[in-house]
Amino acid sequence: MIIEKIKESRFTPEVFDIETFGTAFSDHMLLCWYKDGKWGEPIIKPYGKLDFTPAISVGHYGQGIFEGMKAYKGSNGDVYLFRPEKNFERLNKSAVRLDMPEIPEHIFMDGLKALVDLDRQWVPATHGMSLYLRPVMFATEEAITARSSNEYLFAILTAVAPNYYNKPLSVKIADRYSRAANGGVGFAKAAGNYAGSFYPTHLAREEGYDQVVWTDDATHTFIEEAGTMNVMVRIGDKLITAPTSERILDGVTRDSMLQLATKLGIEVEVRKITVQEVYDAHKSGELKEVFGVGTAVVVNNYVAVGYGDERLELPLLSPEESYGQILKKNLVDLQMGVSEDPFGWRVKVEENLVEA
């Protein structure tokens, strides 16, 4: 691995006061190019601009995938990753679906750890904050031929992550637009999945909502995801979430929450859930919570759900009563080394992986 260190760090403690997600980038980035049928040697260098022409393949045919991860700093100064092997596996699953080359494990894992070690001062120690990690791969061939690219760039960039949402959100259940369809790329973390969601989200905001709860493409009767997150519904004392499928992203946070909930004695059901079931539960007073879970947000409890012309207001539960907030606290405590890790999810980033 080639290392080119920044001459003078851009870090200042004030960066931890940032309130905007994904704009305060750390000193370094990792780059690795795929050309002539093989991956080259990865390089860590100062974060900055790259040189491309308007003919770059990803801009025309959309071969772009990414992952979302975080690095955490414990009270003792140790820095941790969280289940990085899951993101590695999912990135390559996305690559296969978009006919892109799989990234070797040593480039992903060793590069990720070296990059985080080099920029460990950028990892905030404040509870609930983190350094967001964005592995990304996209087609770079200078060609506007409609085919899979012959050249790609794998990169990892990092940015200080404050609390992603500082207020509870309201969501509108989709009854026309769809996020994904059978046979499509809904299970992949593909750039186009997000591009296609922006317009329906814009329409929802015009109606006074923050995000969209996505439903199945065929009938719009089954709840699948919410915004950029997996969605969980609490009816009575039971936590329900949809099973993953070729339409639904297999979220790392989702999987972790389900395992944590079971360990905490919360009854969990992974099954299809209809919009009508949620509506009826609200009318009967049994709908206690609806919340989204994901790497960036961790958990966001919704205050209202839009269904047709109706706005279903949700009860405001205390942190001690809310399953969403209980699970969030337990997960963040585990991620930051505050509590024990019975699952073996926490991966310590050793110091001085990169020679001075």
Side-chain angles (χ1 to χ4, degrees), residues 243-256:
T244 56
S245 68
E246 58 185 347
R247 298 189 307 275
I248 299 177
L249 191 71
D250 187 5
V252 178
T253 304
R254 170 192 176 277
D255 179 72
S256 304

Side-chain angles (χ1 to χ4, degrees), residues 26-175:
S26 65
D27 284 332
H28 298 90
M29 61 184 177
L30 179 141
L31 305 175
C32 190
W33 302 84
Y34 181 90
K35 191 174 182 179
D36 298 326
K38 63 181 182 298
W39 287 101
E41 186 173 9
I43 178 172
I44 293 178
K45 62 185 294 183
Y47 174 82
K49 296 181 179 180
L50 301 173
D51 186 18
F52 298 111
T53 78
I56 186 172
S57 184
V58 66
H60 300 268
Y61 303 113
Q63 281 184 295
I65 58 176
F66 65 92
E67 279 297 317
M69 311 171 65
K70 286 179 177 178
Y72 309 85
K73 184 174 288 183
S75 57
N76 60 358
D78 287 341
V79 172
Y80 304 103
L81 302 176
F82 181 71
R83 307 187 75 182
E85 74 287 348
K86 298 287 287 184
N87 297 95
F88 167 71
E89 292 167 2
R90 191 172 63 184
L91 183 73
N92 278 337
K93 187 177 180 181
S94 298
V96 169
R97 179 60 182 85
L98 270 71
D99 198 29
M100 303 167 72
E102 294 181 65
I103 192 78
E105 185 173 5
H106 73 275
I107 293 177
F108 185 98
M109 291 295 187
D110 294 349
L112 181 66
K113 292 175 182 177
L115 180 63
V116 172
D117 176 45
L118 189 59
D119 282 349
R120 63 173 52 235
Q121 68 177 337
W122 288 82
V123 185
T126 303
H127 194 269
M129 290 186 66
S130 57
L131 183 67
Y132 187 79
L133 315 175
R134 171 53 62 87
V136 59
M137 189 196 307
F138 54 91
T140 56
E141 186 177 0
E142 187 178 16
I144 54 173
T145 308
R147 56 165 170 75
S148 298
S149 176
N150 291 312
E151 299 175 8
Y152 298 87
L153 173 62
F154 171 67
I156 305 176
L157 52 150
T158 72
V160 174
N163 287 325
Y164 195 72
Y165 298 114
N166 56 15
K167 67 179 182 69
L169 304 180
S170 59
V171 292
K172 179 69 184 289
I173 295 176
D175 56 10

Side-chain angles (χ1 to χ4, degrees), residues 188-206:
K189 208 159 174 65
N193 290 344
Y194 296 81
S197 73
F198 294 156
Y199 178 64
T201 303
H202 174 84
L203 296 179
R205 286 172 179 161
E206 289 184 339

